[in-house]
Coordinates of all heavy atoms in Angstrom, one line a residue:
Chain K
A38 N -45.5 -14.7 -4.3 CA -44.7 -14.4 -5.5 C -44.0 -13.1 -5.3 O -42.8 -12.9 -5.7 CB -45.6 -14.4 -6.7
L39 N -44.7 -12.1 -4.8 CA -44.2 -10.7 -4.6 C -43.0 -10.8 -3.7 O -41.9 -10.2 -4.0 CB -45.2 -9.8 -4.1 CG -44.7 -8.4 -3.9 CD1 -44.4 -7.7 -5.2 CD2 -45.7 -7.5 -3.1
K40 N -43.1 -11.5 -2.6 CA -42.0 -11.6 -1.6 C -40.8 -12.2 -2.2 O -39.7 -11.8 -2.1 CB -42.5 -12.4 -0.4 CG -41.3 -12.6 0.6 CD -41.8 -12.8 2.0 CE -40.6 -13.2 2.9 NZ -39.4 -12.4 2.8
E41 N -41.0 -13.3 -3.0 CA -39.9 -14.0 -3.6 C -39.2 -13.1 -4.6 O -38.0 -13.0 -4.6 CB -40.3 -15.3 -4.3 CG -40.6 -16.4 -3.4 CD -41.1 -17.6 -4.0 OE1 -41.2 -17.6 -5.3 OE2 -41.5 -18.6 -3.3
Q42 N -40.0 -12.4 -5.4 CA -39.4 -11.4 -6.3 C -38.6 -10.4 -5.6 O -37.4 -10.1 -6.0 CB -40.6 -10.7 -7.1 CG -40.1 -9.6 -8.0 CD -39.7 -10.1 -9.3 OE1 -39.5 -11.3 -9.5 NE2 -39.7 -9.2 -10.3
A43 N -39.2 -9.8 -4.5 CA -38.4 -8.8 -3.8 C -37.2 -9.3 -3.2 O -36.1 -8.7 -3.2 CB -39.3 -8.2 -2.7
D44 N -37.2 -10.6 -2.7 CA -36.0 -11.2 -2.1 C -34.9 -11.3 -3.1 O -33.7 -11.1 -2.9 CB -36.3 -12.5 -1.5 CG -37.0 -12.4 -0.1 OD1 -36.8 -11.4 0.5 OD2 -37.7 -13.4 0.3
L45 N -35.3 -11.8 -4.3 CA -34.4 -11.9 -5.4 C -33.7 -10.6 -5.7 O -32.5 -10.5 -5.8 CB -35.1 -12.4 -6.7 CG -34.4 -13.4 -7.5 CD1 -34.2 -14.7 -6.8 CD2 -35.1 -13.6 -8.8
E46 N -34.5 -9.5 -5.8 CA -33.9 -8.2 -6.1 C -33.0 -7.8 -5.0 O -31.9 -7.2 -5.3 CB -35.1 -7.2 -6.3 CG -35.8 -7.5 -7.6 CD -37.0 -6.5 -7.7 OE1 -37.1 -5.6 -6.9 OE2 -37.8 -6.8 -8.6
V47 N -33.4 -8.0 -3.8 CA -32.5 -7.7 -2.7 C -31.1 -8.4 -2.8 O -30.1 -7.7 -2.6 CB -33.2 -8.0 -1.3 CG1 -32.1 -8.0 -0.2 CG2 -34.2 -7.0 -1.0
N48 N -31.2 -9.6 -3.1 CA -29.9 -10.4 -3.3 C -29.1 -9.8 -4.4 O -27.8 -9.6 -4.2 CB -30.2 -11.8 -3.6 CG -30.4 -12.6 -2.3 OD1 -30.0 -12.2 -1.2 ND2 -31.2 -13.7 -2.4
L49 N -29.7 -9.5 -5.5 CA -29.0 -8.9 -6.6 C -28.3 -7.6 -6.2 O -27.1 -7.3 -6.5 CB -29.9 -8.6 -7.8 CG -30.2 -9.8 -8.7 CD1 -31.2 -9.4 -9.7 CD2 -28.9 -10.2 -9.4
L50 N -29.1 -6.8 -5.5 CA -28.5 -5.5 -5.1 C -27.4 -5.7 -4.1 O -26.4 -4.9 -4.2 CB -29.6 -4.6 -4.4 CG -30.7 -4.1 -5.4 CD1 -31.8 -3.4 -4.7 CD2 -30.0 -3.1 -6.4
Q51 N -27.5 -6.7 -3.2 CA -26.4 -6.9 -2.3 C -25.2 -7.3 -3.1 O -24.0 -6.8 -2.8 CB -26.8 -8.1 -1.4 CG -27.8 -7.8 -0.3 CD -27.2 -7.2 0.9 OE1 -26.0 -6.7 0.9 NE2 -27.8 -7.3 2.0
D52 N -25.3 -8.1 -4.1 CA -24.1 -8.5 -4.9 C -23.5 -7.3 -5.5 O -22.3 -7.1 -5.5 CB -24.5 -9.5 -6.0 CG -24.7 -10.9 -5.4 OD1 -24.1 -11.2 -4.4 OD2 -25.3 -11.7 -6.1
S53 N -24.3 -6.4 -6.1 CA -23.8 -5.2 -6.7 C -23.0 -4.4 -5.7 O -21.9 -3.9 -6.0 CB -24.9 -4.4 -7.3 OG -25.5 -5.1 -8.3
L54 N -23.6 -4.3 -4.5 CA -22.9 -3.5 -3.5 C -21.6 -4.1 -3.1 O -20.6 -3.3 -3.0 CB -23.8 -3.4 -2.2 CG -24.9 -2.3 -2.2 CD1 -25.7 -2.4 -1.0 CD2 -24.2 -1.0 -2.2
N55 N -21.5 -5.4 -3.0 CA -20.3 -6.0 -2.7 C -19.2 -5.8 -3.8 O -18.1 -5.5 -3.5 CB -20.4 -7.5 -2.6 CG -21.0 -7.9 -1.2 OD1 -20.9 -7.1 -0.3 ND2 -21.6 -9.0 -1.1
N56 N -19.7 -5.9 -5.1 CA -18.8 -5.6 -6.2 C -18.2 -4.2 -6.1 O -17.0 -4.0 -6.3 CB -19.5 -5.7 -7.5 CG -19.7 -7.2 -7.9 OD1 -19.0 -8.0 -7.3 ND2 -20.6 -7.5 -8.8
I57 N -19.1 -3.2 -5.8 CA -18.6 -1.8 -5.6 C -17.6 -1.7 -4.5 O -16.5 -1.1 -4.7 CB -19.8 -0.9 -5.4 CG1 -20.7 -0.8 -6.6 CG2 -19.2 0.5 -5.1 CD1 -21.7 0.2 -6.5
R58 N -17.8 -2.4 -3.4 CA -16.9 -2.4 -2.3 C -15.5 -2.9 -2.7 O -14.5 -2.4 -2.4 CB -17.4 -3.1 -1.1 CG -17.7 -2.2 0.1 CD -18.1 -2.9 1.3 NE -19.2 -3.7 1.0 CZ -19.8 -4.5 1.9 NH1 -19.4 -4.5 3.1 NH2 -20.8 -5.2 1.6
T59 N -15.5 -4.1 -3.4 CA -14.3 -4.6 -3.9 C -13.5 -3.7 -4.8 O -12.3 -3.5 -4.6 CB -14.5 -5.9 -4.7 OG1 -15.6 -6.6 -4.1 CG2 -13.3 -6.8 -4.7
A60 N -14.2 -3.1 -5.8 CA -13.6 -2.2 -6.7 C -13.0 -1.0 -5.9 O -11.9 -0.6 -6.2 CB -14.6 -1.7 -7.7
N61 N -13.7 -0.5 -5.0 CA -13.2 0.6 -4.2 C -11.9 0.2 -3.4 O -11.0 1.0 -3.4 CB -14.3 1.0 -3.1 CG -14.5 2.5 -3.1 OD1 -13.7 3.2 -3.8 ND2 -15.5 3.0 -2.4
A62 N -11.9 -1.0 -2.9 CA -10.7 -1.4 -2.2 C -9.5 -1.4 -3.1 O -8.4 -1.0 -2.8 CB -10.9 -2.8 -1.5
R63 N -9.8 -1.9 -4.3 CA -8.7 -2.0 -5.3 C -8.2 -0.6 -5.6 O -7.0 -0.3 -5.7 CB -9.1 -2.7 -6.6 CG -9.2 -4.2 -6.4 CD -8.9 -5.0 -7.7 NE -9.2 -4.2 -8.9 CZ -10.2 -4.5 -9.8 NH1 -11.0 -5.5 -9.4 NH2 -10.4 -3.9 -10.9
L64 N -9.1 0.3 -5.8 CA -8.7 1.7 -6.1 C -7.9 2.3 -5.0 O -6.9 3.0 -5.2 CB -9.9 2.5 -6.4 CG -10.4 2.5 -7.9 CD1 -11.7 3.3 -8.0 CD2 -9.4 3.2 -8.7
E65 N -8.4 2.0 -3.8 CA -7.7 2.6 -2.6 C -6.3 2.1 -2.6 O -5.3 2.8 -2.3 CB -8.4 2.3 -1.3 CG -9.8 2.7 -1.3 CD -10.1 3.8 -0.3 OE1 -9.1 4.3 0.3 OE2 -11.2 4.3 -0.3
S66 N -6.1 0.8 -2.8 CA -4.7 0.2 -2.8 C -3.9 0.8 -3.9 O -2.7 1.1 -3.8 CB -4.7 -1.3 -2.8 OG -5.0 -1.7 -4.1
A67 N -4.5 1.1 -5.1 CA -3.8 1.7 -6.2 C -3.3 3.1 -5.8 O -2.2 3.5 -6.0 CB -4.7 1.8 -7.4
A68 N -4.2 3.9 -5.1 CA -3.9 5.2 -4.7 C -2.7 5.1 -3.7 O -1.8 5.9 -3.8 CB -5.1 5.9 -4.1
G69 N -2.8 4.1 -2.8 CA -1.7 4.0 -1.8 C -0.4 3.7 -2.5 O 0.6 4.3 -2.1
A70 N -0.4 2.8 -3.5 CA 0.8 2.4 -4.2 C 1.4 3.7 -4.9 O 2.6 3.9 -4.9 CB 0.5 1.3 -5.2
L71 N 0.5 4.5 -5.5 CA 0.9 5.7 -6.1 C 1.7 6.6 -5.1 O 2.7 7.2 -5.4 CB -0.3 6.5 -6.7 CG -0.6 6.2 -8.2 CD1 -1.6 7.2 -8.6 CD2 0.6 6.4 -9.0
N72 N 1.0 6.8 -4.0 CA 1.6 7.6 -3.0 C 3.0 7.2 -2.6 O 4.0 7.9 -2.5 CB 0.7 7.7 -1.7 CG -0.2 8.8 -1.8 OD1 0.1 9.9 -2.2 ND2 -1.5 8.5 -1.3
D73 N 3.1 5.8 -2.4 CA 4.4 5.2 -2.1 C 5.4 5.5 -3.2 O 6.5 5.9 -2.9 CB 4.2 3.7 -1.9 CG 5.3 3.1 -1.1 OD1 5.4 3.4 0.1 OD2 6.1 2.4 -1.7
L74 N 5.0 5.3 -4.4 CA 5.9 5.5 -5.5 C 6.4 6.9 -5.6 O 7.6 7.1 -5.9 CB 5.1 5.1 -6.8 CG 6.0 4.9 -8.1 CD1 7.0 3.8 -7.8 CD2 5.1 4.6 -9.2
S75 N 5.5 7.8 -5.3 CA 5.9 9.2 -5.4 C 7.0 9.6 -4.4 O 7.8 10.6 -4.6 CB 4.7 10.2 -5.3 OG 4.2 10.0 -4.0
L76 N 7.1 8.8 -3.4 CA 8.1 9.1 -2.4 C 9.5 8.6 -2.8 O 10.5 8.9 -2.2 CB 7.7 8.5 -1.0 CG 6.4 9.0 -0.4 CD1 6.1 8.2 0.9 CD2 6.6 10.4 0.0
R77 N 9.5 7.6 -3.7 CA 10.8 7.0 -4.0 C 11.6 7.9 -4.9 O 11.1 8.5 -5.9 CB 10.6 5.7 -4.7 CG 9.6 4.8 -4.0 CD 10.3 4.2 -2.7 NE 9.3 3.6 -1.9 CZ 9.5 3.2 -0.6 NH1 10.7 3.4 -0.1 NH2 8.6 2.6 0.1
P78 N 13.0 8.0 -4.7 CA 13.8 8.8 -5.5 C 14.1 8.1 -6.9 O 14.0 6.9 -7.0 CB 15.1 8.9 -4.7 CG 15.1 7.7 -3.9 CD 13.7 7.4 -3.6
Q79 N 14.4 8.9 -7.8 CA 14.8 8.4 -9.1 C 16.1 7.6 -9.0 O 17.0 8.0 -8.3 CB 14.9 9.5 -10.1 CG 15.0 9.0 -11.6 CD 15.0 10.2 -12.5 OE1 15.2 11.3 -12.1 NE2 14.8 9.9 -13.8
G80 N 16.2 6.5 -9.8 CA 17.4 5.7 -9.8 C 17.4 4.7 -8.6 O 18.4 4.0 -8.5
K81 N 16.4 4.6 -7.9 CA 16.4 3.7 -6.8 C 16.3 2.3 -7.3 O 15.6 2.0 -8.3 CB 15.1 3.9 -5.9 CG 15.0 3.0 -4.7 CD 14.8 3.7 -3.4 CE 14.5 2.8 -2.3 NZ 15.7 2.4 -1.6
K82 N 17.1 1.3 -6.6 CA 17.1 -0.1 -7.1 C 15.8 -0.7 -6.7 O 15.3 -0.5 -5.7 CB 18.2 -0.8 -6.4 CG 19.6 -0.4 -6.9 CD 20.3 -1.4 -7.7 CE 21.5 -0.9 -8.4 NZ 22.5 -0.2 -7.6
M83 N 15.2 -1.5 -7.7 CA 14.0 -2.2 -7.4 C 13.9 -3.5 -8.1 O 14.8 -3.8 -9.0 CB 12.8 -1.3 -7.9 CG 12.8 -1.0 -9.3 SD 11.5 0.1 -9.8 CE 10.1 -1.1 -9.9
L84 N 12.9 -4.3 -7.8 CA 12.7 -5.6 -8.5 C 11.5 -5.5 -9.4 O 10.4 -5.2 -8.9 CB 12.6 -6.8 -7.5 CG 13.9 -7.1 -6.8 CD1 13.6 -8.1 -5.6 CD2 14.8 -7.8 -7.7
V85 N 11.6 -5.8 -10.7 CA 10.5 -5.7 -11.6 C 9.9 -7.1 -11.9 O 10.6 -8.0 -12.3 CB 11.0 -5.1 -12.9 CG1 9.9 -4.9 -13.9 CG2 11.7 -3.8 -12.7
P86 N 8.6 -7.3 -11.7 CA 8.0 -8.6 -12.0 C 7.9 -8.8 -13.5 O 7.3 -8.0 -14.2 CB 6.7 -8.5 -11.3 CG 6.4 -7.0 -11.2 CD 7.7 -6.3 -11.2
L87 N 8.5 -9.9 -13.9 CA 8.3 -10.3 -15.3 C 7.2 -11.3 -15.5 O 6.4 -11.3 -16.4 CB 9.6 -10.9 -15.9 CG 10.7 -9.9 -16.2 CD1 11.8 -10.6 -17.0 CD2 10.1 -8.8 -17.1
T88 N 7.1 -12.2 -14.5 CA 6.0 -13.1 -14.4 C 5.6 -13.2 -12.9 O 6.2 -12.5 -12.1 CB 6.3 -14.5 -14.9 OG1 7.2 -15.1 -14.0 CG2 6.9 -14.5 -16.3
A89 N 4.6 -14.1 -12.6 CA 4.2 -14.1 -11.2 C 5.3 -14.6 -10.3 O 5.3 -14.4 -9.1 CB 3.0 -15.0 -11.1
S90 N 6.3 -15.3 -10.9 CA 7.4 -15.9 -10.0 C 8.7 -15.4 -10.4 O 9.7 -15.8 -9.8 CB 7.3 -17.4 -10.0 OG 7.1 -17.9 -11.3
L91 N 8.8 -14.5 -11.4 CA 10.2 -14.1 -11.8 C 10.3 -12.6 -11.7 O 9.5 -11.8 -12.3 CB 10.4 -14.5 -13.3 CG 11.7 -14.1 -13.9 CD1 12.8 -14.7 -13.1 CD2 11.8 -14.5 -15.3
Y92 N 11.2 -12.2 -10.9 CA 11.5 -10.7 -10.7 C 12.9 -10.4 -11.3 O 13.8 -11.3 -11.2 CB 11.4 -10.3 -9.3 CG 10.0 -10.3 -8.8 CD1 9.3 -11.4 -8.5 CD2 9.3 -9.1 -8.5 CE1 8.0 -11.4 -8.1 CE2 8.1 -9.0 -8.0 CZ 7.4 -10.2 -7.8 OH 6.1 -10.1 -7.4
V93 N 13.1 -9.3 -11.8 CA 14.4 -8.9 -12.4 C 14.8 -7.6 -11.7 O 14.0 -6.7 -11.5 CB 14.2 -8.7 -13.9 CG1 15.5 -8.2 -14.5 CG2 13.8 -9.9 -14.6

Side-chain angles (χ1 to χ4, degrees):
Chain K
L39 179 68
K40 173 155 172 50
E41 282 178 5
Q42 172 88 342
D44 281 340
L45 216 70
E46 290 175 10
V47 163
N48 278 337
L49 277 173
L50 288 174
Q51 286 274 20
D52 279 341
S53 299
L54 273 176
N55 282 338
N56 283 342
I57 293 189
R58 244 185 306 182
T59 322
N61 227 353
R63 281 209 339 247
L64 272 175
E65 304 251 357
S66 76
L71 263 189
N72 268 321
D73 198 69
L74 194 60
S75 63
L76 298 174
R77 308 290 167 188
Q79 194 175 11
K81 180 129 173 93
K82 293 250 168 51
M83 58 183 282
L84 287 171
V85 181
L87 284 187
T88 68
S90 39
L91 180 60
Y92 286 73
V93 176

